[in-house]
Amino acid sequence: MAPAPSRSLGPVLELHDAPLAPLTTFRLGGPAARLITATTDAEVVAAVREADAAGTPLLLIGGGSNLVIGDKGFAGTALRIATEGFSLDGTTLELAAGEVWTDAVARTVEAGLAGIECLAGIPGSAGATPIQNVGAYGQEVSSTISEVIAYDRRTGETVTLTNAECAFSYRHSRFKADPDRHVVLRVRFELEDANGLSAPVKYAETARTLGVEPGDRVPLADARETVLELRAGKGMVLDPEDHDTWSAGSFFTNPILTDEAFAAFHARVKERLGADAVPPAFPAGKGHTKTSAAWLIDKSGFTKGYGTGPARISTKHTLALTNRGEASTEDLLALAREVVAGVHDAFGITLVNEPVTVGVSL
């Protein structure tokens, strides 16, 4: 069904019965009863206040790279945050929530500042990065975020939260823990001037590709380009012609296990794969170990390209579930549930989805 004609509420664009699928990287989901596009912080706050005052359900949309919207759509107000703003003051970077993240990373590299260069190519908007504590290839935004400016829906005020107040942990934050309270407006980062060099390279695959040792620094542009090449090889850089990128990137988070749970998991691995089998293991704080979701999926029998329907595992990376062009959200969820059940049956670990689900659940 075509959306109803738009009308302008001052500078704010409003649509009714508006398709949401084109606003997501999955290209899935039904329409919103109402879609508002806000281009300034004031418009964002006004739209949120209006929805809250009326008791209307509210869905925030940035780059749409971390959303799984149900086929029935959203029976409320969807607010697309399309604010712009990139400001550098020495090594301090401030981004409006609607800034395209991968473009912002490129600009910091051009400016010779280190700290987020290995987060190149990640789709989505800047405002989403603190919510998910976005990370890849040895970097997390929590290492460089100094402050988050947000609208507090509980108090009706705009607040500035320090890094500590954001309560960052692996792919988590206070914003994700309490998703209905804060609306991120701006994010401030403290970067590093290392004379054109990157932050120390932490990720083994990145270091190996660059031909350096972990801990070494390389030219910023080299680090960024290497990460982009690695991501593209896994279908993790958006390309409208490549269905492997019609995804939300990594669909599942890497499990973090207690020492006891990891020991039980290790025993299951040996039982299933042989006495010499060793699962991936990475330190994750005292008494905890992180393992690889991609490894679990693959070793449970869900290989690259798995599936025969319109939703399948990426042909480039087992951690990405993809829309091959004609999928519905239910097709995607059926595949996700199959993977979760298969991994649990094989190894006793329950995978957790990384994208936010709207109107549906696994």
Side-chain angles (χ1 to χ4, degrees), residues 91 153 227 273 286 291 300 307 335:
T91 57
R153 297 169 69 181
V227 166
L273 303 177
K286 185 176 180 181
T291 193
S300 299
L335 175 62

Side-chain angles (χ1 to χ4, degrees), residues 137-202:
Y137 295 97
Q139 290 183 344
E140 287 184 329
V141 292
S142 58
S143 297
T144 52
I145 287 177
S146 57
E147 295 177 326
V148 174
I149 297 90
Y151 174 67
D152 187 335
R153 297 169 69 181
R154 186 176 300 170
T155 66
E157 299 177 345
T158 297
V159 296
T160 298
L161 302 171
T162 65
N163 181 290
E165 290 172 326
C166 292
F168 291 120
S169 59
Y170 174 66
R171 301 297 174 272
H172 202 67
S173 68
R174 73 178 296 168
F175 310 108
K176 190 172 181 180
D178 189 2
D180 295 327
R181 178 164 182 180
H182 291 101
V183 179
V184 175
L185 300 174
R186 295 185 172 266
V187 188
R188 292 184 182 135
F189 302 80
E190 191 57 42
L191 304 177
E192 178 188 8
D193 185 349
N195 297 315
L197 296 179
S198 69
V201 177
K202 295 180 179 180

Side-chain angles (χ1 to χ4, degrees), residues 64-112:
S65 61
N66 204 44
L67 282 179
V68 178
I69 299 172
D71 293 317
K72 292 183 179 179
F74 184 70
T77 296
L79 172 59
R80 179 171 172 260
I81 299 176
T83 53
E84 296 181 354
F86 177 102
S87 173
L88 265 179
D89 182 7
T91 57
T92 300
L93 169 68
E94 181 174 296
L95 297 177
E99 279 289 323
V100 177
W101 174 253
T102 192
D103 292 347
V105 172
R107 292 177 69 177
T108 64
V109 169
E110 291 171 1

Side-chain angles (χ1 to χ4, degrees), residues 11-341:
V12 180
L13 178 67
E14 179 177 350
L15 294 169
H16 292 267
D17 196 25
L20 294 180
L23 302 182
T24 73
T25 52
F26 263 124
R27 294 166 172 81
L28 295 176
R34 180 181 184 227
L35 172 65
I36 294 174
T37 298
T39 58
T40 69
D41 291 353
E43 291 173 6
V44 172
V45 171
V48 174
R49 282 178 171 160
E50 179 194 58
D52 288 349
T56 303
L58 182 67
L59 171 64
L60 303 177
I61 301 178
S65 61
N66 204 44
L67 282 179
V68 178
I69 299 172
D71 293 317
K72 292 183 179 179
F74 184 70
T77 296
L79 172 59
R80 179 171 172 260
I81 299 176
T83 53
E84 296 181 354
F86 177 102
S87 173
L88 265 179
D89 182 7
T91 57
T92 300
L93 169 68
E94 181 174 296
L95 297 177
E99 279 289 323
V100 177
W101 174 253
T102 192
D103 292 347
V105 172
R107 292 177 69 177
T108 64
V109 169
E110 291 171 1
L113 297 177
I116 57 175
E117 63 279 359
C118 290
L119 302 178
I122 294 176
S125 61
T129 61
I131 297 171
Q132 193 75 5
N133 185 15
V134 165
Y137 295 97
Q139 290 183 344
E140 287 184 329
V141 292
S142 58
S143 297
T144 52
I145 287 177
S146 57
E147 295 177 326
V148 174
I149 297 90
Y151 174 67
D152 187 335
R153 297 169 69 181
R154 186 176 300 170
T155 66
E157 299 177 345
T158 297
V159 296
T160 298
L161 302 171
T162 65
N163 181 290
E165 290 172 326
C166 292
F168 291 120
S169 59
Y170 174 66
R171 301 297 174 272
H172 202 67
S173 68
R174 73 178 296 168
F175 310 108
K176 190 172 181 180
D178 189 2
D180 295 327
R181 178 164 182 180
H182 291 101
V183 179
V184 175
L185 300 174
R186 295 185 172 266
V187 188
R188 292 184 182 135
F189 302 80
E190 191 57 42
L191 304 177
E192 178 188 8
D193 185 349
N195 297 315
L197 296 179
S198 69
V201 177
K202 295 180 179 180
Y203 200 68
E205 183 183 19
T206 313
R208 185 167 58 250
T209 305
L210 285 163
V212 300
E213 295 296 320
D216 289 348
R217 294 177 184 262
V218 299
L220 276 164
D222 291 354
R224 175 178 174 270
E225 289 302 320
T226 295
V227 166
L228 287 173
E229 290 171 5
L230 290 171
R231 291 185 64 87
K234 299 173 183 177
M236 298 290 187
V237 177
L238 292 181
D239 179 352
E241 304 303 316
D242 183 0
H243 285 287
D244 276 322
T245 73
W246 290 31
S247 74
S250 300
F251 195 87
F252 300 104
T253 57
N254 291 320
I256 295 178
L257 309 175
T258 64
D259 288 344
E260 182 180 2
F262 187 82
F265 162 56
H266 201 171
R268 292 278 289 266
V269 169
K270 291 183 178 296
E271 179 183 336
R272 180 179 177 88
L273 303 177
D276 296 330
V278 179
F282 309 95
K286 185 176 180 181
H288 292 82
T289 300
K290 180 168 66 177
T291 193
S292 166
W295 186 91
L296 288 166
I297 293 167
D298 181 70
K299 298 303 180 185
S300 299
F302 302 102
T303 54
K304 296 175 184 176
Y306 178 88
T308 57
R312 304 180 194 176
I313 290 178
S314 166
T315 66
K316 300 182 181 72
H317 199 292
T318 55
L319 202 47
L321 307 188
T322 67
N323 171 10
R324 307 317 292 185
E326 301 295 332
S328 66
T329 300
E330 279 306 310
D331 293 326
L332 175 76
L333 294 176
L335 175 62
R337 292 173 186 132
E338 183 183 2
V339 171
V340 170

